[in-house]
Amino acid sequence: QPSPFMDTQKEELSIPRLIRRKRDGEELQGEEICYFVQAVKEGTIQESQIGALLMAIWQHGMEQQEILAMIKEMMVSGTVLQWPKEWCGIVVDKHSTGGVGDKVSLPLAPALAACGYKVPMISGRGLAHTGGTLDKMESVPGFNVDQSPEQITQMLEDVGCCIVGQADSLVPADKILYAIRDITSTVDSLPLITASIMSKKGAESLSALILDVKYGSAALYKSIESARELAHSLVRVGKHLGICTTAVLSKMDNPIGQNIGNSLEVMESIECLKGRGPADLRGLVTSLGAHLLYMCRKADTLQSGMEQIGRVLDNGTALLKFQAMLEAQGVQAGIARSLCQGNGDVDYFRVMGRAQHQEELRAEKEGVVEAIWAMPLAEMCHELGAGRTKAGTPINHRVGIELLVSLGDHVQKGSPWIRVHRGFPALTDNQKSHLQEALVIGNGKNFTTCSRISEVITSESIDNVQVNKTSEVN
Ligand SMILES: *[C@@H]1O[C@H](CO)[C@@H](O)[C@H](O)[C@H]1NC(C)=O
């Protein structure tokens, strides 16, 4: 005779029951969440059930305890990377929620390696308008992002950094969940974003992590409030996982740097590694790097951290790390060398190829450049074939956009402001006028440039806010 106790146990851990509980706004128990994540990993749950639970989570959110249980179970659904003991305290990484022209990782990883850190930068493919970090790196002929955990450890030993794809063995549950979120309109859920990002970072066994949470017209989050909410959630989880975590909120209305598009962004990154390139890109690289140095107590102040990163960009040591990383990941030594030649101008296009056609657009009036909206530019790049909206589709690494003006520049009517690198066919009138809308020219009277980073969030700052709130109530 079956015991009634066994029946309740079974009832407690049934998928329909936990979907129903979440649907009704109840908090799930840790064991229910483990049961769900394991079922996802083992394929014993139907996709419709996964979709239903994700939608219930999207609607009702999750408590901190639920998010943590989910992350821990997702982490152990695959390999958790282990590092040699002597690396304790120096394994660091950076994650950005995605911005137009955001190539910060490319100079930052070798710069940190040049400062003595180990940087296992593991990226997902993502479905960005303009290609993700992996797509950018793959525009260098021969670069191979598929590396085993053993190869990653070896590269960190020899070089200090690598930029690799997420192996199938790393957080496999996230891959499945991400694909289903994408087709069920549940991508923009705070607990699900937190779980996806932090399970991957947890599986990298990091000492410290810097997060760049973007907000603005060309970011996932339009308002600073919602970006701040995500940053708080990420920083809190980081602390629980034993990773020193800081988040910055940075504005994403204008593109980062002057180049958008995969190979064009690599060229600009190499310029940054030569101590040149756009000031805003260098500013982000040195600031984000400085936060990591500060968290790891390698810098007493943020200012000194920024100076240390600035020095390795200026004295060629970061560039040498980048060159060594290219070779370690399969690029022929001659190609890596010609890209990273220190002095003089390098013909990057000769090494990395160039799109068939370049087409320039001209400013329609005279004045000061007050804004260059990133979103229309990103959409154009996507139409040109620089990014993908469906996993697995091929992209064109050479197409993209070069900006010929910067914010605050005075431009003449008829002077070229943008160079579109394209294949076939020519831009239509519609596309051209859409692009022209990205350029805002004014009289410059009310124009000021401000730092991209508008707020820094640490676990201490969150605790302080909570203390302040309590005292306000009192
Ligand atoms: C470059 O700068 C870093 C940081 O200050 C320093 O440790 C390193 O020795 C310098 N290298 C060279 C070649 O100047």
Side-chain angles (χ1 to χ4, degrees):
Q1 190 179 336
S3 100
F5 176 71
M6 285 298 290
D7 265 4
T8 9
Q9 280 287 309
K10 255 192 200 152
E11 166 88 348
E12 275 206 354
L13 284 181
S14 94
I15 295 290
R17 185 179 140 91
L18 64 99
I19 294 172
R20 185 170 67 240
R21 293 202 337 104
K22 193 59 172 155
R23 181 201 66 191
D24 295 342
E26 292 170 33
E27 182 177 339
L28 298 181
Q29 300 299 313
E31 59 175 1
E32 290 177 299
I33 290 172
C34 295
Y35 180 70
F36 165 69
V37 175
Q38 278 164 18
V40 169
K41 183 199 167 188
E42 283 156 17
T44 56
I45 177 174
Q46 295 182 25
E47 286 204 353
S48 56
Q49 295 176 309
I50 300 178
L53 186 62
L54 293 178
M55 185 55 81
I57 292 173
W58 187 90
Q59 286 182 312
H60 296 285
M62 281 176 126
E63 295 298 326
Q64 176 83 359
Q65 289 312 315
E66 295 178 281
I67 300 179
L68 275 171
M70 182 147 173
I71 289 174
K72 288 185 177 156
E73 197 59 35
M74 283 169 72
M75 269 170 65
V76 299
S77 73
T79 316
V80 175
L81 297 172
Q82 306 287 338
W83 311 117
K85 281 202 186 58
E86 57 276 20
W87 294 0
C88 182
I90 60 166
V91 183
V92 302
D93 197 4
K94 168 251 172 189
H95 179 85
S96 155
T97 59
V100 179
D102 189 354
K103 72 275 292 172
V104 168
S105 293
L106 277 57
L108 182 58
L112 289 166
C115 293
Y117 287 92
K118 304 293 177 189
V119 195
M121 224 169 236
I122 300 178
S123 282
R125 273 283 165 200
L127 300 170
H129 277 292
T130 58
T133 298
L134 299 180
D135 298 309
K136 292 170 198 183
M137 290 310 301
E138 282 175 341
S139 67
V140 181
F143 193 88
N144 183 1
V145 300
D146 296 321
Q147 307 283 342
S148 68
E150 294 73 29
Q151 288 169 315
I152 292 175
T153 308
Q154 192 62 49
M155 288 189 288
L156 294 189
E157 181 79 53
D158 299 341
V159 181
C161 62
C162 59
I163 297 179
V164 302
Q166 187 186 340
D168 290 335
S169 59
L170 201 87
V171 203
D174 176 62
K175 284 207 165 168
I176 300 166
L177 292 178
Y178 191 88
I180 296 177
R181 277 165 65 202
D182 192 45
I183 55 171
T184 54
S185 288
T186 50
V187 170
D188 57 341
S189 149
L190 189 132
L192 296 177
I193 295 174
T194 304
S196 175
I197 295 175
M198 295 308 285
S199 60
K200 283 177 278 193
K201 297 304 159 190
E204 285 180 30
S205 304
L206 299 177
S207 319
L209 172 65
I210 181 74
L211 297 157
D212 184 357
V213 181
K214 307 276 188 204
Y215 70 95
S217 56
L220 177 62
Y221 288 115
K222 308 298 171 211
S223 76
I224 192 166
E225 289 78 17
S226 45
R228 187 184 294 127
E229 213 182 320
L230 175 64
H232 280 198
S233 169
L234 294 167
V235 169
R236 258 191 238 115
V237 166
K239 188 178 178 184
H240 278 282
L241 296 177
I243 304 171
C244 271
T245 308
T246 293
V248 302
L249 305 184
S250 69
K251 202 152 170 61
M252 183 26 75
D253 286 329
N254 308 302
I256 297 170
Q258 304 286 105
N259 290 8
I260 311 167
N262 299 293
S263 66
L264 294 170
E265 294 193 35
V266 171
M267 297 171 197
E268 193 168 49
S269 302
I270 298 176
E271 284 295 295
C272 178
L273 285 162
K274 291 177 180 174
R276 306 191 293 236
D280 65 335
L281 173 60
R282 182 181 165 105
L284 272 176
V285 172
T286 52
S287 300
L288 297 182
H291 280 290
L292 283 170
L293 266 55
Y294 182 72
M295 275 189 271
C296 296
R297 302 175 204 284
K298 185 114 193 269
D300 298 334
T301 60
L302 282 179
Q303 187 58 36
S304 119
M306 290 179 72
E307 284 162 12
Q308 287 183 50
I309 303 282
R311 268 200 301 278
V312 296
L313 294 177
D314 290 333
N315 76 10
T317 49
L319 183 65
L320 281 175
K321 291 289 183 190
F322 186 76
Q323 186 177 343
M325 178 181 83
L326 291 182
E327 286 184 41
Q329 295 194 236
V331 177
Q332 283 176 19
I335 291 181
R337 203 179 324 116
S338 53
L339 286 174
C340 299
Q341 277 168 29
N343 37 14
D345 285 331
V346 172
D347 187 355
Y348 294 110
F349 290 115
R350 191 180 56 76
V351 184
M352 299 179 64
R354 188 185 192 114
Q356 290 97 324
H357 298 280
Q358 280 68 40
E359 193 168 337
E360 289 179 359
L361 299 191
R362 293 165 187 284
E364 287 170 331
K365 62 178 186 181
E366 188 198 335
V368 173
V369 177
E370 294 187 344
I372 304 170
W373 297 115
M375 207 52 201
L377 304 183
E379 284 162 356
M380 187 68 234
C381 286
H382 183 239
E383 282 176 41
L384 295 171
R388 59 174 76 77
T389 38
K390 206 162 156 269
T393 44
I395 61 168
N396 186 337
H397 288 105
R398 297 173 181 182
V399 297
I401 285 175
E402 248 181 291
L403 296 174
L404 308 174
V405 297
S406 308
L407 290 184
D409 283 359
H410 191 102
V411 293
Q412 297 298 328
K413 182 175 180 197
S415 60
W417 71 276
I418 190 174
R419 183 179 297 135
V420 179
H421 293 250
R422 61 167 178 83
F424 298 98
L427 298 179
T428 63
D429 287 344
N430 237 337
Q431 287 175 317
K432 282 185 198 167
S433 60
H434 195 46
L435 279 175
Q436 290 291 7
E437 282 166 19
L439 180 68
V440 180
I441 295 176
N443 58 19
K445 276 198 189 114
N446 297 318
F447 174 75
T448 50
T449 44
C450 46
S451 154
R452 273 182 187 272
I453 296 179
S454 32
E455 206 168 306
V456 176
I457 290 159
T458 63
S459 67
E460 292 76 35
S461 70
I462 295 176
D463 293 345
N464 288 342
V465 168
Q466 276 161 358
V467 171
N468 288 345
K469 274 197 184 141
T470 328
S471 50
E472 267 167 37
V473 172
N474 295 343

